Amino acid sequence: MKRWITLACGVVLVLVGAVWVLQGAGVLTGSFMTGQKLWFLIGLVAFLVGVVLVAATTFRGRTR
């Protein structure tokens, strides 16, 4: 059960982080976050944490 929760959190962080990066870079418009460097950096951190969670969950599941 814990594996699925970790995987789901990782996927959500990857998706949200990607949106925040695109908004911070000015690619996605229509938000107060558009063109803001802070949201680009926050999104990048969220994206990378999500990738680590997904990778850790995937590799841990294969070794067992």
Side-chain angles (χ1 to χ4, degrees):
M1 182 76 171
K2 181 181 177 186
R3 179 179 162 200
W4 290 104
I5 293 171
T6 305
L7 182 63
C9 288
V11 169
V12 168
L13 279 173
V14 166
L15 294 175
V16 170
V19 169
W20 287 348
V21 165
L22 292 174
Q23 285 180 330
V27 176
L28 293 176
T29 59
S31 171
F32 68 93
M33 296 187 285
T34 302
Q36 299 292 320
K37 186 177 179 179
L38 176 65
W39 287 105
F40 177 83
L41 295 174
I42 292 171
L44 189 61
V45 169
F47 182 83
L48 293 175
V49 169
V51 168
V52 168
L53 285 176
V54 169
T57 304
T58 303
F59 290 129
R60 183 176 53 187
R62 288 186 181 177
T63 59
R64 286 186 176 180

